[in-house]
Amino acid sequence: MTRPARQPAIGFAHRGGALQRRHQNTLTAFRRSWVMGATGIESDVALTADGVPVLIHPGIVGRFGRPVSRLRRAQLPGHVPSLEDVYRECGPTIDVALDMTAPAAVDQVVRIAREHGDPSRLWLTYWRLDTVTRWRRSYPDVRLVFPTLLIRTASSARRAAELRTAGVDALNLYHRTCTPARVAVLQDSGLLVFGWGARTGAAAARILASGVDGVFCDDTAGMVAALEADGRRRAAAAVSTAR
């Protein structure tokens, strides 16, 4: 049975939706995007030496390029937010997509989402299916996302079945491969579909036009405008279908 696209699609502010690199993955950027209307935020996660999940890319800071895993929370620059900081600032209803570049952080990430947010709005992205399968057994209340750069339409249904068996909820497609036909096949197989890689609102609008369930974009203002237009289009299509 065909499953209709999510109503409405989630708009994830990529790295907080900050167009300038120095503002990316900062609490200011996350707060700004949330106030502007982004329904979700995206970041990489790292785990400090004292066990605090922080949102940072690529996870190396300090004068000597020391990994976050070797630094305590108090040793990090002040602009690096913890996951708990983001929930406290943006509220418990925000969708949070985390690229699990530090898979060891998963226990703490899930614990914080359960305490301060909504675990059903926590989207953990990781590329190893064996790890994802374990996470599904351990954390049944969170969402799991598999990233991909290229997937062929002809093999989409088979690949989707493999991902669903592993416990994956959503497939994250590169924006240039988000075609209506490919998205529909994946959704019919039971997966949500996200599109990543949009730099501008125009790119976000093109991704949304393919029927995806969520989009990742650097341009928060442009993305929000695209989401509003797409929401109107989907609502009109639903009314037309119901007649």
Side-chain angles (χ1 to χ4, degrees), residues 110-190:
V110 174
R111 178 188 63 78
I112 290 170
R114 288 170 175 169
E115 290 181 2
H116 301 284
D118 180 353
S120 71
R121 293 177 178 267
L122 174 66
W123 305 84
L124 304 182
T125 302
Y126 200 59
W127 59 274
R128 290 192 56 169
L129 281 184
D130 56 342
T131 300
V132 169
T133 301
R134 291 198 302 272
W135 288 356
R136 172 50 67 223
R137 291 195 297 265
S138 299
Y139 316 110
D141 51 343
V142 307
R143 303 298 195 102
L144 301 177
V145 184
F146 187 82
T148 185
L149 184 62
L150 176 65
I151 186 169
R152 299 183 184 279
T153 302
S155 60
S156 294
R158 176 176 55 79
R159 185 56 168 161
E162 293 173 350
L163 296 175
R164 291 296 295 149
T165 298
V168 171
D169 295 291
L171 182 65
N172 202 4
L173 285 179
Y174 181 54
H175 70 104
R176 296 191 185 279
T177 67
C178 289
T179 65
R182 183 173 290 118
V183 169
V185 168
L186 293 166
Q187 290 174 335
D188 290 348
S189 299

Side-chain angles (χ1 to χ4, degrees), residues 40-51:
I41 57 99
E42 182 277 345
S43 184
D44 291 41
V45 68
L47 190 67
T48 65
D50 49 349

